[in-house]
DNA sequence: TGTACATCAGTGAACGCGCGTTCACTGATGTAC
DNA sequence: TGTACATCAGTGAACGCGCGTTCACTGATGTAC
């Protein structure tokens, strides 16, 4: 920064930072590798010592950004938990973190969400989905959610908070500030959680959540997985 | 098509069709005006007699596609309704139409949703949001939803179905076929509707749904709007 | 501690490419009389 | 019904541009002896 050095030393991260800033400023596609390099103060070709292509950089950024979201959710949930606190509050806090994050940097959120199955090699930890699963498990443990409603509930909850986040990020819905977003998130998630608890006559082939990615990671940590056959199972790829 | 004509006659629509096909095949940004023109069999410059720029074409396509979704939801809801049918079924049908649509042409869905406030001039009728509002009103009328839960419920429901649709469209969640999608949609929407009905102690400043677009249109058709002050109101722009 | 050298991480010029858009044009169509 | 002419909707050549990527290079770094 201060002295002009031939070797940057942290170019990989610096490029990711620059690219993230460019996404914030000019949207998911409104910038070039050359601009990111220029912003870091490096020649365009330098990037190729760290990324195979522009796409590779974008994918790496997307994964990094998604992992950050997972961290924010996880710590928000942890902070909300405590004795005497409403059992649903952890999930609500995670959801608020999710929605606020999308509201703060809509274009970055679009990048993280909007590119399909791209995080091929990268392990994202903690994945937002993982945080939701952890919170649901906690709700079942504390008795705030029926165990029968648990399978597949992760995708139901995820869909709810994801929808609010993306409607706001994409400008299809607008709110007056983050407090309003929190209120909306809370109302939505409490409605879903309450609705799941009230569920009667679960469908015969209840969807079961599992994914290659999740399994690969959780099998290493514990092996409490109940391997019921899944017929119409939602899956989180990679 | 058969005879080579100098004047195409339907070039505007033909270009929109070609662009939509290209979006399906190559994603939201993976195609050019020139490709669309070539596909129609017309020179690249011909498009400028119908669209001011490539962006204008994209915006027009996005609006057209969103209106089609609204139509599909609306007719699905109408078809589901009937005497003796579960009151929630209309909304579930609309939601299934929404989710299936996103699943059928994910890239097209991303186009319709992912470009922020772009439908500036165009009136989209019926907007998916309008269909949701209509179904909610019906639920209140039939007594299946508390009137106190009605304000803002449209955004809660919309968020839920939108989240499922976009998670699937963006490949963050996968399902084995459209029946599985229907099942997920049904579970999600029923949970939200049930949860909304069970709501106790609504927040003091309940969010109220209103938007310039909606008001402009609905004021023309009826004027039953209850104009309560909205403090933290979600809004649908344009 | 000093030197030789392999490796790493930069440079900068150059490439070919396809893009959106413009412009002067021309062929077809429709309307006035 | 026939002719003159304005208007509409095409053509196709050309433009300048910025892009991703390559390549031979060079300066800095770290390690072996």
């Amino acid at each position: 920064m201060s002295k002009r050095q031939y070797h940057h030393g942290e170019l990989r991260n610096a490029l990711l930072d620059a690219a993230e800033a460019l996404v914030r400023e000019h949207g998911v596609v409104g910038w070039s590798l050359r601009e990111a390099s220029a912003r870091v103060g490096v020649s365009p070709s330098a990037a190729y010592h760290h990324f195979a292509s522009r796409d590779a950089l974008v994918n790496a950024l997307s994964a990094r950004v998604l992992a950050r979201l997972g961290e924010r959710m996880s710590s928000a949930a942890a902070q909300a938990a405590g004795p005497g606190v409403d059992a649903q509050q952890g999930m609500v806090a995670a959801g608020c973190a999710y929605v606020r994050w999308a509201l703060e940097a809509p274009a970055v959120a679009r990048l993280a969400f909007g590119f399909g199955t791209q995080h091929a090699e990268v392990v994202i930890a903690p994945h937002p989905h993982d945080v939701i699963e952890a919170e649901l498990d906690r709700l079942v443990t504390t008795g705030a959610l029926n165990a029968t409603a648990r399978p597949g509930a992760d995708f139901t909850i995820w869909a709810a908070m994801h929808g609010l986040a993306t409607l706001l990020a994409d400008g299809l819905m607008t709110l007056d500030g983050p407090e309003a977003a929190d209120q909306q998130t809370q109302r939505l998630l409490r409605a879903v959680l309450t609705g799941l608890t009230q569920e009667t006559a679960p469908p015969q082939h209840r969807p079961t959540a599992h994914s290659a990615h999740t399994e690969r990671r959780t099998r290493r940590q514990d092996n409490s997985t109940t391997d019921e056959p899944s017929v119409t199972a939602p899956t989180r790829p990679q």
Side-chain angles (χ1 to χ4, degrees), chain A:
Chain A
M1 194 59 94
S2 51
K3 277 186 196 171
R4 193 72 185 68
Q5 306 156 305
Y6 195 92
H7 285 100
H8 185 283
E10 271 292 328
L11 185 51
R12 194 191 141 90
N13 278 330
L15 283 171
L16 288 171
D17 291 343
E20 186 170 343
L22 283 165
V23 169
R24 277 174 195 260
E25 293 166 32
H26 301 117
V28 177
V29 295
W31 57 279
S32 63
L33 226 205
R34 296 172 103 101
E35 280 179 86
S37 305
R39 201 166 272 219
V40 174
V42 117
S43 75
S45 45
Y48 288 87
H49 285 283
H50 300 275
F51 300 99
S53 65
R54 181 183 188 274
D55 273 4
L57 186 156
V58 170
N59 288 350
L61 176 58
S62 172
R64 192 180 81 161
V65 137
L66 202 54
R68 291 239 178 100
L69 168 60
E71 283 160 19
R72 282 179 61 159
M73 292 170 71
S74 170
S75 74
Q79 215 167 327
V85 171
D86 175 9
Q88 295 182 346
Q89 199 54 42
M91 186 67 86
V92 168
C96 288
Y98 197 98
V99 172
R100 286 178 101 124
W101 174 85
L103 215 44
E104 278 168 28
V108 174
R110 232 171 283 145
L111 171 73
F113 298 145
F115 275 77
T117 315
Q118 67 182 325
H119 310 118
E121 317 291 83
V122 201
V123 173
I124 293 154
H127 194 290
H129 179 234
D130 297 335
V131 181
I132 291 167
E133 291 214 293
E135 282 304 308
L136 278 173
D137 289 341
R138 222 175 43 75
L139 284 168
V140 172
T141 307
T142 57
L145 183 71
N146 297 339
T148 57
R150 174 62 186 83
D154 44 334
F155 288 102
T156 305
I157 292 283
W158 190 15
M161 68 173 73
H162 186 77
L164 190 50
T166 53
L167 283 177
L168 290 168
D170 290 337
L172 293 166
M173 187 199 297
T174 57
L175 285 168
D176 311 335
E179 301 79 19
D182 284 355
Q183 228 170 291
Q184 272 293 304
T185 309
Q186 172 150 209
R187 187 183 187 200
L188 175 59
L189 292 184
R190 287 195 185 279
V192 178
L193 286 172
T194 304
L196 287 176
T197 307
Q198 304 276 332
E199 259 180 2
T200 56
Q204 206 171 0
H205 296 309
R206 176 70 65 82
T208 304
H210 73 69
S211 83
H213 192 179
T214 307
E215 279 178 6
R216 202 194 316 136
R217 201 142 24 82
T218 53
R219 286 252 170 82
R220 237 182 272 135
Q221 296 169 359
D222 66 345
N223 43 12
S224 64
T225 328
T226 59
D227 255 27
E228 12 178 320
S230 87
V231 178
T232 55
T235 296
R236 170 154 64 82
Q238 309 307 354

